Amino acid sequence: MSSLPACPKCNSEYAYEDGALLICPECAHEWSPQEEQESSEDVVLDANGNALADGDTVSVIKDLKVKGSSSVVKVGTKVKNIRLVDGDHNIDCKIAGIGAMKLKSEFVKKV
């Protein structure tokens, strides 16, 4: 049996080698073995492609409606001391005048 790693996306053990890439037949994910070793954890990027980290300050780049409320987070609102989490909305923060919120990283830019 070969010693190929399991698929990082679906953990399938049936990955096979095709040239320099490894391919998963179950989810069709392709990756290189070097890439897997270099990036063991996911990096959260802002709208401009800058890496975000816990404690960063970001600025909102689009008016965002607050679900369940009539208030809006306006363009240019600065959010200090963000916390990165897993999930669809990958930023937890507190916004002055609104309170605790979850934001998507694609709607912010690093200040």
XYZ file of all heavy atoms in Angstrom:
826
model
N 0.842 -1.181 0.000
C 0.000 0.000 0.000
C 0.888 1.246 0.000
O 1.943 1.269 0.599
C -0.843 -0.070 1.264
C -2.226 0.494 1.239
S -3.296 -0.193 0.021
C -4.359 1.161 -0.119
N 0.447 2.298 -0.654
C 1.246 3.525 -0.714
C 1.078 4.337 0.564
O 0.150 4.143 1.332
C 0.833 4.361 -1.923
O -0.455 4.882 -1.709
N 1.973 5.281 0.753
C 1.921 6.110 1.961
C 1.504 7.534 1.619
O 2.041 8.498 2.148
C 3.290 6.106 2.645
O 4.249 6.660 1.767
N 0.528 7.669 0.708
C 0.038 8.996 0.336
C -0.867 9.527 1.450
O -1.610 8.767 2.060
C -0.743 8.925 -0.983
C 0.074 8.567 -2.219
C -0.830 8.427 -3.424
C 1.138 9.612 -2.476
N -0.825 10.841 1.680
C -1.666 11.412 2.739
C -3.138 11.437 2.331
O -3.475 11.382 1.155
C -1.122 12.835 2.881
C -0.529 13.148 1.555
C 0.008 11.843 1.042
N -4.009 11.531 3.325
C -5.442 11.637 3.071
C -5.762 13.021 2.515
O -5.008 13.975 2.705
C -6.214 11.393 4.363
N -6.880 13.128 1.850
C -7.312 14.407 1.277
C -7.543 15.431 2.390
O -8.252 15.143 3.355
C -8.599 14.203 0.488
S -9.326 15.724 -0.136
N -6.961 16.637 2.300
C -7.149 17.640 3.349
C -8.554 18.232 3.365
O -8.978 18.805 4.355
C -6.116 18.715 3.020
C -5.800 18.528 1.578
C -6.028 17.087 1.273
N -9.303 18.061 2.288
C -10.647 18.633 2.214
C -11.710 17.691 2.776
O -12.547 18.094 3.562
C -10.963 18.997 0.764
C -12.165 19.859 0.591
C -12.263 20.359 -0.826
C -13.419 21.308 -0.983
N -13.530 21.768 -2.356
N -11.671 16.409 2.373
C -12.716 15.472 2.805
C -12.172 14.271 3.590
O -12.931 13.392 3.972
C -13.502 14.978 1.599
S -12.586 13.858 0.521
N -10.872 14.212 3.819
C -10.199 13.138 4.565
C -10.340 11.765 3.917
O -10.289 10.744 4.593
C -10.676 13.090 6.019
C -10.176 14.265 6.802
O -9.089 14.770 6.545
N -10.967 14.722 7.746
N -10.533 11.725 2.611
C -10.615 10.458 1.902
C -9.227 9.821 1.849
O -8.224 10.490 1.618
C -11.125 10.685 0.480
O -11.008 9.495 -0.275
N -9.171 8.526 2.026
C -7.886 7.833 2.004
C -7.512 7.337 0.612
O -6.479 6.711 0.429
C -7.929 6.654 2.972
C -9.013 5.655 2.642
C -9.154 4.570 3.690
O -8.935 4.843 4.865
O -9.479 3.443 3.297
N -8.338 7.645 -0.394
C -8.128 7.133 -1.747
C -7.424 8.121 -2.674
O -7.590 8.044 -3.884
C -9.467 6.720 -2.352
C -10.180 5.676 -1.532
C -11.361 5.983 -0.887
C -9.647 4.406 -1.380
C -12.010 5.037 -0.117
C -10.284 3.459 -0.607
C -11.470 3.771 0.021
O -12.102 2.839 0.786
N -6.646 9.032 -2.146
C -5.930 10.009 -2.967
C -4.909 9.286 -3.850
O -4.355 8.258 -3.467
C -5.228 11.024 -2.084
N -4.706 9.827 -5.042
C -3.708 9.251 -5.936
C -2.829 10.352 -6.499
O -3.168 11.517 -6.474
C -4.370 8.443 -7.054
C -5.265 9.235 -7.978
C -4.758 9.830 -9.125
C -6.621 9.385 -7.703
C -5.564 10.549 -9.981
C -7.449 10.103 -8.548
C -6.915 10.680 -9.691
O -7.723 11.386 -10.525
N -1.680 9.939 -7.013
C -0.678 10.872 -7.512
C -0.828 11.016 -9.025
O -0.992 10.035 -9.744
C 0.713 10.339 -7.171
C 1.790 11.362 -7.197
C 3.085 10.839 -6.575
O 3.152 9.652 -6.219
O 4.017 11.636 -6.473
N -0.784 12.284 -9.486
C -0.833 12.563 -10.923
C 0.220 13.626 -11.218
O -0.037 14.814 -11.061
C -2.225 13.039 -11.328
C -2.356 13.238 -12.830
O -1.551 12.646 -13.576
O -3.256 13.990 -13.242
N 1.383 13.184 -11.610
C 2.494 14.112 -11.822
C 2.955 14.677 -10.488
O 3.289 13.939 -9.567
N 2.945 16.010 -10.363
C 3.388 16.647 -9.123
C 2.233 16.879 -8.152
O 2.447 17.332 -7.039
C 4.057 17.973 -9.438
N 1.006 16.562 -8.563
C -0.166 16.817 -7.730
C -0.734 15.533 -7.149
O -0.577 14.452 -7.706
C -1.269 17.503 -8.543
C -0.991 18.905 -9.053
C -2.149 19.383 -9.917
C -0.767 19.859 -7.904
N -1.438 15.678 -6.028
C -2.229 14.602 -5.472
C -3.691 14.951 -5.733
O -4.092 16.109 -5.628
C -1.972 14.466 -3.966
C -0.552 14.078 -3.575
C -0.387 14.119 -2.061
C -0.230 12.684 -4.082
N -4.501 13.958 -6.071
C -5.895 14.189 -6.436
C -6.784 13.256 -5.624
O -6.489 12.074 -5.459
C -6.125 13.953 -7.941
C -5.228 14.894 -8.743
C -7.586 14.149 -8.317
C -5.226 14.653 -10.219
N -7.891 13.800 -5.162
C -8.882 13.007 -4.429
C -9.999 12.628 -5.399
O -10.631 13.509 -5.983
C -9.450 13.817 -3.267
S -10.789 12.959 -2.417
N -10.282 11.329 -5.576
C -11.335 10.927 -6.506
C -12.746 11.180 -5.969
O -13.699 11.205 -6.736
C -11.087 9.428 -6.687
C -10.407 9.008 -5.439
C -9.578 10.188 -5.001
N -12.896 11.386 -4.667
C -14.224 11.574 -4.091
C -14.714 13.018 -4.184
O -15.879 13.263 -4.454
C -14.237 11.102 -2.643
C -14.065 9.596 -2.546
C -14.168 9.080 -1.139
O -14.508 9.858 -0.227
O -13.900 7.882 -0.950
N -13.818 13.994 -3.930
C -14.262 15.398 -3.963
C -13.566 16.208 -5.060
O -13.807 17.399 -5.190
C -14.033 16.071 -2.606
S -12.307 16.328 -2.180
N -12.668 15.586 -5.822
C -11.938 16.201 -6.930
C -10.996 17.318 -6.487
O -10.628 18.177 -7.275
C -12.887 16.703 -8.011
N -10.595 17.324 -5.227
C -9.648 18.320 -4.720
C -8.245 17.952 -5.198
O -7.848 16.796 -5.153
C -9.711 18.360 -3.197
C -8.777 19.347 -2.578
N -8.910 20.699 -2.766
C -7.690 19.172 -1.785
C -7.945 21.322 -2.110
N -7.200 20.415 -1.507
N -7.497 18.961 -5.660
C -6.117 18.759 -6.097
C -5.195 19.578 -5.211
O -5.484 20.734 -4.912
C -5.945 19.204 -7.553
C -6.778 18.426 -8.532
C -6.587 18.902 -9.954
O -5.817 19.853 -10.182
O -7.211 18.309 -10.853
N -4.080 19.016 -4.791
C -3.117 19.732 -3.969
C -1.735 19.141 -4.169
O -1.582 18.049 -4.667
C -3.524 19.688 -2.493
C -3.300 18.375 -1.797
C -2.266 18.036 -0.985
C -4.128 17.204 -1.856
N -2.396 16.752 -0.534
C -3.529 16.217 -1.053
C -5.298 16.884 -2.515
C -4.079 14.953 -0.886
C -5.847 15.619 -2.350
C -5.233 14.674 -1.545
N -0.723 19.927 -3.823
C 0.651 19.430 -3.926
C 1.119 19.041 -2.526
O 0.750 19.674 -1.544
C 1.564 20.500 -4.517
O 1.724 21.570 -3.626
N 1.925 18.019 -2.413
C 2.399 17.589 -1.090
C 3.205 18.676 -0.370
O 3.134 18.809 0.843
C 3.285 16.381 -1.394
C 2.919 15.941 -2.761
C 2.374 17.134 -3.469
N 3.959 19.506 -1.126
C 4.732 20.580 -0.508
C 3.803 21.635 0.078
O 4.057 22.183 1.139
C 5.678 21.242 -1.512
C 6.799 20.362 -1.991
C 6.360 19.428 -3.109
O 5.333 19.626 -3.742
N 7.132 18.368 -3.331
N 2.723 21.930 -0.614
C 1.759 22.930 -0.148
C 1.129 22.497 1.170
O 0.908 23.299 2.057
C 0.673 23.101 -1.207
C -0.421 24.067 -0.842
C -1.476 24.128 -1.928
O -1.133 24.430 -3.079
O -2.641 23.859 -1.597
N 0.848 21.206 1.299
C 0.243 20.686 2.519
C 1.173 20.862 3.715
O 0.739 21.200 4.805
C -0.089 19.206 2.333
C -0.749 18.587 3.540
C -1.022 17.118 3.318
O -1.381 16.723 2.208
O -0.846 16.367 4.287
N 2.463 20.655 3.507
C 3.415 20.789 4.594
C 3.637 22.249 4.972
O 3.838 22.565 6.136
C 4.748 20.154 4.214
C 4.661 18.651 4.047
C 5.928 18.065 3.461
O 6.847 18.784 3.099
N 5.972 16.754 3.367
N 3.601 23.157 3.990
C 3.873 24.568 4.250
C 2.736 25.262 4.993
O 2.965 26.034 5.902
C 4.134 25.299 2.933
C 5.435 24.904 2.270
C 5.585 25.516 0.899
O 4.710 26.290 0.486
O 6.584 25.211 0.236
N 1.497 25.004 4.591
C 0.376 25.700 5.214
C -0.513 24.710 5.948
O -1.408 24.124 5.378
C -0.431 26.454 4.160
O -0.979 25.543 3.245
N -0.266 24.535 7.219
C -1.042 23.591 7.999
C -2.349 24.202 8.490
O -3.277 23.507 8.815
C -0.221 23.080 9.187
O 0.139 24.164 10.009
N -2.436 25.533 8.566
C -3.682 26.166 8.982
C -4.118 27.182 7.938
O -3.325 27.714 7.186
C -3.539 26.818 10.348
C -2.532 27.945 10.415
C -2.416 28.531 11.800
O -1.983 27.807 12.689
O -2.771 29.698 11.954
N -5.414 27.423 7.887
C -5.963 28.344 6.903
C -5.636 29.784 7.262
O -5.627 30.166 8.421
C -7.474 28.183 6.813
C -7.870 26.823 6.280
O -7.103 26.264 5.483
O -8.945 26.336 6.664
N -5.385 30.592 6.245
C -5.098 32.003 6.433
C -6.334 32.789 6.017
O -6.900 32.550 4.958
C -3.878 32.429 5.577
C -3.630 33.910 5.696
C -2.655 31.632 5.971
N -6.762 33.715 6.864
C -7.917 34.552 6.557
C -7.411 35.816 5.877
O -6.540 36.505 6.396
C -8.698 34.902 7.844
C -9.859 35.814 7.529
C -9.176 33.636 8.526
N -7.972 36.107 4.686
C -7.549 37.256 3.903
C -8.658 38.292 3.852
O -9.843 37.957 3.819
C -7.201 36.823 2.480
C -6.115 35.767 2.336
C -5.964 35.370 0.885
C -4.805 36.262 2.897
N -8.263 39.584 3.819
C -9.258 40.649 3.676
C -9.594 40.834 2.200
O -9.170 40.056 1.348
C -8.766 41.946 4.330
C -7.601 42.593 3.591
O -7.108 42.028 2.598
O -7.176 43.681 4.011
N -10.367 41.860 1.875
C -10.805 42.103 0.500
C -9.640 42.392 -0.444
O -9.725 42.143 -1.639
C -11.788 43.257 0.471
N -8.534 42.905 0.073
C -7.370 43.229 -0.751
C -6.332 42.114 -0.780
O -5.277 42.270 -1.388
C -6.715 44.519 -0.252
C -7.622 45.709 -0.418
O -8.434 45.752 -1.324
N -7.487 46.684 0.467
N -6.585 41.011 -0.087
C -5.655 39.891 -0.083
C -4.618 39.938 1.017
O -3.692 39.145 1.015
N -4.746 40.861 1.974
C -3.821 40.933 3.106
C -4.237 39.928 4.176
O -5.424 39.754 4.444
C -3.818 42.342 3.713
C -3.375 43.382 2.721
O -2.446 43.166 1.953
N -4.059 44.510 2.713
N -3.262 39.270 4.788
C -3.556 38.307 5.842
C -4.009 39.030 7.108
O -3.439 40.051 7.491
C -2.317 37.473 6.130
N -5.049 38.506 7.732
C -5.563 39.072 8.977
C -5.134 38.205 10.148
O -4.938 37.001 10.000
C -7.094 39.142 8.936
C -7.708 40.056 7.885
C -9.221 39.905 7.878
C -7.326 41.495 8.143
N -5.003 38.825 11.326
C -4.640 38.118 12.548
C -5.493 38.642 13.697
O -6.090 39.714 13.601
C -3.158 38.325 12.850
N -5.540 37.879 14.767
C -6.263 38.325 15.964
C -5.699 39.643 16.453
O -4.482 39.837 16.487
C -6.156 37.287 17.074
C -7.002 36.052 16.807
O -7.909 36.124 15.963
O -6.754 35.019 17.450
N -6.585 40.575 16.827
C -6.164 41.857 17.359
C -5.972 42.942 16.319
O -5.695 44.084 16.659
N -6.112 42.626 15.034
C -5.958 43.627 13.974
C -7.104 44.634 14.001
O -8.163 44.382 14.561
C -5.933 42.970 12.594
C -4.590 42.347 12.256
O -3.612 42.622 12.973
O -4.525 41.596 11.266
N -6.873 45.770 13.351
C -7.910 46.768 13.137
C -8.268 46.746 11.661
O -7.393 46.754 10.802
C -7.415 48.168 13.537
O -7.069 48.152 14.914
C -8.485 49.209 13.291
N -9.568 46.691 11.376
C -10.032 46.642 9.995
C -11.059 47.735 9.757
O -11.606 48.306 10.697
C -10.638 45.263 9.645
C -9.595 44.178 9.707
C -11.813 44.939 10.535
N -11.312 48.010 8.486
C -12.300 49.000 8.086
C -13.308 48.324 7.155
O -12.932 47.541 6.288
C -11.599 50.145 7.354
O -12.521 51.069 6.875
N -14.585 48.627 7.335
C -15.644 48.045 6.515
C -15.641 48.727 5.146
O -15.548 49.945 5.058
C -17.013 48.212 7.209
C -18.129 47.662 6.355
C -16.997 47.534 8.575
N -15.744 47.943 4.055
C -15.666 48.504 2.705
C -17.017 48.569 2.010
O -17.104 48.996 0.862
C -14.687 47.703 1.824
C -15.165 46.265 1.651
C -13.286 47.766 2.377
C -14.435 45.514 0.565
N -18.085 48.156 2.684
C -19.410 48.132 2.079
C -20.449 48.324 3.177
O -20.257 47.844 4.289
C -19.607 46.776 1.393
C -20.948 46.561 0.777
C -21.038 45.160 0.181
C -22.446 44.925 -0.325
N -22.614 43.580 -0.853
N -21.543 49.040 2.883
C -22.632 49.148 3.853
C -23.178 47.756 4.134
O -23.509 47.009 3.209
C -23.759 50.031 3.318
C -23.441 51.513 3.397
O -22.450 51.877 4.053
O -24.193 52.305 2.810
N -23.261 47.401 5.418
C -23.735 46.076 5.799
C -24.995 46.206 6.647
O -24.986 46.891 7.673
C -22.655 45.339 6.601
C -21.320 45.114 5.900
C -20.307 44.523 6.869
C -21.495 44.212 4.701
N -26.071 45.579 6.220
C -27.301 45.572 6.999
C -27.136 44.620 8.171
O -26.560 43.549 8.030
C -28.476 45.116 6.141
C -28.806 46.065 5.020
C -29.975 45.544 4.204
C -30.253 46.454 3.034
N -31.331 45.949 2.182
N -27.661 45.021 9.332
C -27.598 44.178 10.515
C -28.877 43.354 10.556
O -29.975 43.907 10.571
C -27.452 45.030 11.787
C -27.419 44.138 13.022
C -26.194 45.878 11.710
N -28.729 42.042 10.550
C -29.884 41.159 10.532
C -30.713 41.337 11.803
O -30.175 41.402 12.898
C -29.404 39.713 10.461
C -30.064 38.897 9.414
C -29.505 37.502 9.370
C -29.816 36.904 8.029
N -29.330 35.571 7.879
N -32.010 41.424 11.652
C -32.900 41.559 12.799
C -32.973 42.956 13.358
O -33.498 43.167 14.442
N -32.420 43.926 12.648
C -32.400 45.305 13.114
C -32.513 46.232 11.912
O -32.279 45.834 10.777
C -31.099 45.575 13.862
O -30.990 46.926 14.214
N -32.861 47.480 12.182
C -32.938 48.445 11.086
C -31.638 49.232 10.933
O -31.542 50.093 10.066
C -34.098 49.412 11.326
O -33.880 50.125 12.526
N -30.638 48.931 11.748
C -29.382 49.667 11.685
C -28.469 49.121 10.587
O -28.643 48.010 10.100
C -28.667 49.622 13.034
O -28.412 48.297 13.406
N -27.502 49.942 10.198
C -26.563 49.612 9.128
C -25.152 49.945 9.589
O -24.929 50.970 10.226
C -26.899 50.421 7.847
C -25.866 50.189 6.770
C -28.278 50.081 7.349
N -24.198 49.069 9.273
C -22.781 49.365 9.503
C -22.303 50.085 8.248
O -22.306 49.516 7.160
C -21.965 48.079 9.748
C -20.500 48.412 9.954
C -22.512 47.309 10.925
N -21.909 51.341 8.385
C -21.561 52.192 7.243
C -20.156 51.904 6.716
O -19.287 51.412 7.437
C -21.636 53.669 7.637
C -23.023 54.141 7.990
C -23.831 54.277 6.743
C -25.164 54.941 7.052
N -25.952 55.103 5.862
N -19.928 52.255 5.457
C -18.609 52.155 4.837
C -17.625 53.005 5.640
O -17.948 54.114 6.042
C -18.657 52.667 3.382
C -17.267 52.763 2.799
C -19.516 51.787 2.528
N -16.439 52.487 5.864
C -15.408 53.233 6.574
C -15.410 53.033 8.076
O -14.531 53.546 8.766
N -16.380 52.300 8.609
C -16.414 52.039 10.048
C -15.189 51.223 10.434
O -14.918 50.181 9.851
C -17.692 51.258 10.429
O -18.826 52.012 10.029
C -17.743 51.002 11.918
N -14.438 51.733 11.413
C -13.246 51.017 11.869
C -13.628 50.074 12.997
O -14.355 50.446 13.911
C -12.171 51.986 12.337
C -11.510 52.710 11.211
C -10.307 53.480 11.653
C -9.687 54.169 10.453
N -8.537 54.967 10.808
N -13.119 48.860 12.907
C -13.375 47.837 13.912
C -12.032 47.431 14.497
O -11.149 46.961 13.777
C -14.076 46.611 13.281
C -14.376 45.585 14.343
C -15.334 47.034 12.556
N -11.866 47.644 15.807
C -10.598 47.344 16.470
C -10.659 45.988 17.155
O -11.728 45.523 17.549
C -10.290 48.413 17.522
C -10.102 49.792 16.950
C -9.834 50.798 18.042
C -9.700 52.197 17.465
N -9.479 53.191 18.492
N -9.502 45.385 17.302
C -9.331 44.163 18.084
C -10.240 43.032 17.611
O -11.038 42.506 18.376
C -9.558 44.455 19.567
C -8.950 43.393 20.437
O -8.102 42.629 20.001
N -9.388 43.332 21.677
N -10.100 42.642 16.339
C -10.920 41.555 15.808
C -10.412 40.213 16.318
O -9.272 40.093 16.770
C -10.930 41.554 14.262
C -9.541 41.273 13.699
C -11.530 42.824 13.728
C -9.528 40.986 12.211
N -11.284 39.216 16.254
C -10.913 37.855 16.636
C -11.336 36.934 15.501
O -12.484 36.978 15.043
C -11.626 37.455 17.922
C -11.166 36.146 18.494
C -11.760 35.923 19.848
N -13.168 36.274 19.822
C -14.138 35.503 20.304
N -13.849 34.376 20.875
N -15.396 35.890 20.237
N -10.420 36.114 15.001
C -10.700 35.209 13.890
C -11.292 33.912 14.417
O -10.819 33.364 15.410
C -9.428 34.920 13.103
C -8.731 36.143 12.507
C -7.464 35.729 11.796
C -9.645 36.898 11.577
N -12.343 33.437 13.749
C -13.013 32.200 14.127
C -13.261 31.375 12.872
O -13.166 31.874 11.749
C -14.357 32.470 14.846
C -14.125 33.146 16.183
C -15.281 33.299 13.998
N -13.605 30.109 13.039
C -13.948 29.249 11.912
C -15.418 29.438 11.571
O -16.234 29.755 12.425
C -13.696 27.781 12.263
C -12.217 27.469 12.372
O -11.422 28.157 11.706
O -11.858 26.545 13.125
N -15.734 29.246 10.327
C -17.123 29.330 9.898
C -17.297 30.276 8.727
O -16.334 30.826 8.188
N -18.542 30.468 8.337
C -18.872 31.330 7.204
C -18.507 32.783 7.494
O -17.878 33.456 6.699
C -20.360 31.199 6.894
C -20.764 31.936 5.640
O -19.912 32.047 4.736
O -21.907 32.403 5.563
N -18.919 33.279 8.649
C -18.533 34.615 9.110
C -17.308 34.415 9.992
O -17.429 33.939 11.112
C -19.674 35.254 9.897
C -20.863 35.573 9.059
N -21.713 34.611 8.581
C -21.329 36.757 8.598
C -22.662 35.181 7.869
N -22.456 36.481 7.847
N -16.131 34.766 9.478
C -14.903 34.379 10.157
C -14.269 35.466 11.020
O -13.133 35.319 11.437
C -13.891 33.823 9.155
C -13.758 34.666 7.929
O -14.289 35.755 7.853
N -13.048 34.161 6.949
N -14.988 36.549 11.322
C -14.473 37.592 12.207
C -15.507 37.873 13.293
O -16.662 38.168 12.986
C -14.171 38.894 11.442
C -13.081 38.663 10.405
C -13.784 40.012 12.401
C -12.820 39.859 9.511
N -15.102 37.770 14.551
C -15.921 38.200 15.684
C -15.397 39.546 16.139
O -14.179 39.744 16.238
C -15.811 37.218 16.855
C -16.798 36.076 16.755
O -17.729 36.155 15.940
O -16.641 35.109 17.524
N -16.297 40.490 16.429
C -15.855 41.817 16.837
C -16.971 42.535 17.582
O -18.105 42.061 17.643
C -15.433 42.631 15.626
S -16.760 42.875 14.435
N -16.632 43.683 18.144
C -17.608 44.577 18.741
C -17.539 45.899 17.990
O -16.470 46.475 17.829
C -17.311 44.807 20.215
C -17.605 43.611 21.082
C -17.411 43.936 22.540
C -17.688 42.710 23.377
N -17.416 42.954 24.798
N -18.697 46.371 17.546
C -18.768 47.622 16.805
C -19.478 48.640 17.685
O -20.565 48.363 18.210
C -19.506 47.440 15.466
C -18.738 46.437 14.599
C -19.676 48.764 14.753
C -19.396 46.119 13.279
N -18.864 49.806 17.840
C -19.430 50.865 18.679
C -20.816 51.248 18.178
O -21.014 51.475 16.987
C -18.511 52.077 18.680
N -21.776 51.303 19.082
C -23.131 51.680 18.730
C -24.004 50.524 18.272
O -25.212 50.657 18.186
N -23.387 49.385 17.970
C -24.152 48.220 17.506
C -23.979 47.039 18.448
O -24.932 46.399 18.820
C -23.757 47.849 16.063
C -24.161 48.981 15.119
C -24.401 46.548 15.643
C -23.748 48.801 13.705
N -22.741 46.758 18.845
C -22.470 45.648 19.752
C -21.697 44.534 19.073
O -21.030 44.741 18.065
N -21.827 43.335 19.630
C -21.100 42.180 19.120
C -21.649 41.770 17.765
O -22.860 41.739 17.556
C -21.199 41.019 20.092
N -20.744 41.494 16.834
C -21.138 41.100 15.476
C -20.175 40.078 14.921
O -19.043 39.954 15.381
C -21.143 42.309 14.530
C -22.313 43.200 14.687
S -22.514 44.282 13.276
C -22.833 43.140 11.965
N -20.642 39.391 13.908
C -19.789 38.507 13.111
C -19.742 39.094 11.713
O -20.765 39.472 11.161
C -20.362 37.096 13.071
C -20.304 36.392 14.404
C -20.759 34.973 14.259
C -20.593 34.296 15.601
N -20.072 32.964 15.478
N -18.529 39.183 11.150
C -18.339 39.747 9.819
C -17.657 38.736 8.916
O -16.923 37.866 9.377
C -17.476 41.002 9.879
C -17.979 42.182 10.685
C -16.899 43.251 10.747
C -19.233 42.736 10.078
N -17.871 38.881 7.624
C -17.128 38.102 6.643
C -15.880 38.906 6.272
O -15.948 40.120 6.089
C -17.971 37.849 5.400
C -19.099 36.881 5.634
C -19.795 36.565 4.336
C -20.860 35.519 4.555
N -21.504 35.122 3.300
N -14.762 38.229 6.130
C -13.503 38.909 5.839
C -13.498 39.574 4.466
O -12.724 40.482 4.225
C -12.332 37.935 5.946
O -12.496 36.882 5.018
N -14.375 39.160 3.564
C -14.396 39.743 2.229
C -14.978 41.148 2.210
O -14.894 41.850 1.212
C -15.177 38.843 1.276
C -16.631 38.653 1.694
C -17.242 37.401 1.112
O -16.611 36.328 1.228
O -18.342 37.492 0.566
N -15.581 41.602 3.333
C -16.174 42.929 3.399
C -15.364 43.897 4.255
O -15.863 44.956 4.636
C -17.609 42.865 3.922
C -18.512 42.065 3.025
C -19.176 40.963 3.512
C -18.682 42.398 1.698
C -20.006 40.212 2.694
C -19.503 41.671 0.873
C -20.171 40.558 1.369
N -14.131 43.533 4.587
C -13.271 44.418 5.387
C -11.904 44.542 4.728
O -11.521 43.704 3.916
C -13.109 43.910 6.842
C -14.430 43.849 7.549
C -12.424 42.571 6.884
N -11.192 45.606 5.095
C -9.794 45.730 4.678
C -8.968 46.110 5.898
O -9.433 46.783 6.805
C -9.637 46.775 3.576
C -9.905 48.192 3.997
C -9.659 49.154 2.850
C -9.923 50.574 3.336
N -9.654 51.552 2.300
N -7.743 45.621 5.905
C -6.840 45.867 7.020
C -6.401 47.327 7.022
O -6.101 47.899 5.982
C -5.621 44.957 6.891
C -4.773 44.880 8.119
C -3.736 43.792 7.947
C -2.942 43.600 9.196
N -1.982 42.505 9.063
N -6.377 47.938 8.211
C -5.973 49.343 8.340
C -4.508 49.400 8.706
O -4.006 48.632 9.450
C -6.813 50.049 9.410
C -6.356 51.477 9.601
C -8.267 50.036 9.004
